[in-house]
Amino acid sequence: MSESKKMAGGMTRANGAILIAAVLLLAGAIGYAIWRDSAPGSDGAAAQPTAAPSDQLAALEARTRSEPNSADAWMQLGAARFDLGNFGGAATAYEKAVGLSPESAGLWSALGEARVMASQSDPMPPAALQAFDKAIALDPRDPRARYFRAVKKDVGGDHKGAIADWFALLEDTPQGAPWEADLRRTIEQVGAIHKIEVAGRLAKTQARPLTPNEIPVAARAIPGPSRSDMEAASQLPKGQQDAMIQGMVDGLETKLKANPADVDRWIMLMRSRMTLGETAKAAQALKDGIAANPGAAGRLKAQAQMLGVPGA
């Protein structure tokens, strides 16, 4: 949220290094600390080839034609378009989704974000604010909508009001949530720009404790990667980093095909997809995880909401 335009960014070199270091830590293991910027390990099996983004997009568009009354189909198309930077197209798809599932706060806030990103001039177009208001009416705790409503205050000149709202969001943010650091950075940046003292309050403000459903997947007696492991991973050329990361995720999906009842791995897959910026695939992982484990739907949804998975 450091740029006031999105809840979470895509893959960075630092994230890539940490994800690769996870291979050294978790090769063949079950579970990891979900709130670290890491990804699940693979057992060294060769990665399965994946479809090109254009092929994946075409498949999602075909699905909306065959299932025009499926909110899930339109939501995944919206997420895929968003991932590819087609924010106007994402907004159009999300509009279809909320029309079919108007009680989903997550869909409304995703629509609002797409409308913000699609705007060429107004940093907070009225249509985006309307979507965020809808989300808040359905779920007053929706973090994306709360964040952007505070952005509206900031761009409107109420910088202290925006900072107060961001602090309130920070207090309601689960400990270690992916957007916590960016939220703190936003508060710092806006405070510095407008000469509002925030350092003392930031030092005292802590994210809230996790609820039972939010408790992360715990690493099971597995030591963390060493500093030398991390440094070695960070020195890999970007192409090798990307290939290694994709191999990890593909290996995880292979394990889930063999054992779809492993709820922890579904959470890992969602986390990995969101870290890679593949929000549509994260949404599909949520759907597939719930289908395979209906009794764990509450936990899967709680984890997905904290990760920012669209529609969660």
Side-chain angles (χ1 to χ4, degrees):
M1 290 188 281
S2 58
E3 298 294 330
S4 296
K5 273 230 173 186
K6 57 182 178 178
M7 288 288 293
M11 173 62 66
T12 65
R13 185 173 180 83
N15 284 342
I18 296 171
L19 283 165
I20 291 168
V23 157
L24 305 171
L25 168 63
L26 296 174
I30 303 173
Y32 76 148
I34 196 84
W35 292 117
R36 293 178 187 170
D37 280 330
S38 58
S42 75
D43 56 9
Q48 297 298 314
T50 57
S54 58
D55 294 337
Q56 296 167 357
L57 187 65
L60 290 170
E61 289 173 340
R63 185 184 169 200
T64 60
R65 289 192 293 270
S66 63
E67 303 176 40
N69 295 321
S70 169
D72 178 73
W74 287 107
M75 179 272 293
Q76 291 198 43
L77 178 59
R81 287 175 172 173
F82 191 97
D83 293 346
L84 293 172
N86 179 4
F87 303 120
T92 298
Y94 281 134
E95 286 162 4
K96 293 281 191 179
V98 297
L100 294 163
S101 183
E103 301 306 310
S104 171
L107 283 178
W108 280 108
S109 64
L111 171 59
E113 183 178 28
R115 286 173 170 172
V116 167
M117 297 296 286
S119 177
Q120 297 299 309
S121 55
D122 190 344
M124 185 57 63
L129 187 60
Q130 289 171 5
F132 294 132
D133 288 345
K134 286 273 193 180
I136 290 295
L138 291 165
D139 180 6
R141 298 172 67 88
D142 184 275
R144 183 188 283 108
R146 291 174 66 185
Y147 173 77
F148 279 104
R149 277 161 52 111
V151 170
K152 172 64 175 176
K153 287 187 178 181
D154 183 45
V155 298
D158 184 6
H159 312 301
K160 289 184 177 179
I163 287 174
D165 287 353
W166 284 324
F167 267 115
L169 174 57
L170 180 59
E171 291 173 350
D172 286 341
T173 291
Q175 290 175 352
W179 65 84
E180 181 182 351
D182 283 345
L183 178 56
R184 288 181 178 275
R185 193 174 302 114
T186 293
I187 294 171
E188 289 176 348
Q189 291 173 346
V190 174
I193 291 169
H194 300 290
K195 296 180 171 49
I196 300 170
E197 174 57 39
V198 298
R201 188 172 174 187
L202 272 173
K204 296 177 182 177
T205 304
Q206 300 298 321
R208 66 169 173 77
L210 301 175
T211 65
N213 272 342
E214 293 168 344
I215 299 236
V217 180
R220 297 167 186 162
I222 305 170
S226 67
R227 180 178 296 274
S228 61
D229 291 337
M230 295 288 288
E231 290 175 351
S234 68
Q235 297 307 310
L236 287 172
K238 186 178 184 304
Q240 291 183 28
Q241 284 190 19
D242 293 345
M244 204 169 195
I245 293 164
Q246 191 62 57
M248 286 187 255
V249 178
D250 291 343
L252 179 62
E253 288 189 317
T254 298
K255 292 172 184 176
L256 279 168
K257 288 178 182 177
N259 180 18
D262 191 335
V263 176
D264 286 357
R265 278 203 160 100
W266 285 112
I267 296 170
M268 292 181 212
L269 182 58
M270 287 191 293
R271 169 63 169 162
S272 300
R273 291 302 189 193
M274 292 302 293
T275 302
L276 290 166
E278 298 174 342
T279 57
K281 291 183 179 180
Q284 183 63 49
L286 172 61
K287 178 185 176 183
D288 293 344
I290 291 174
N293 304 276
R299 181 168 178 241
L300 286 163
K301 287 181 179 179
Q303 297 282 347
Q305 286 171 354
M306 288 188 295
L307 292 169
V309 176

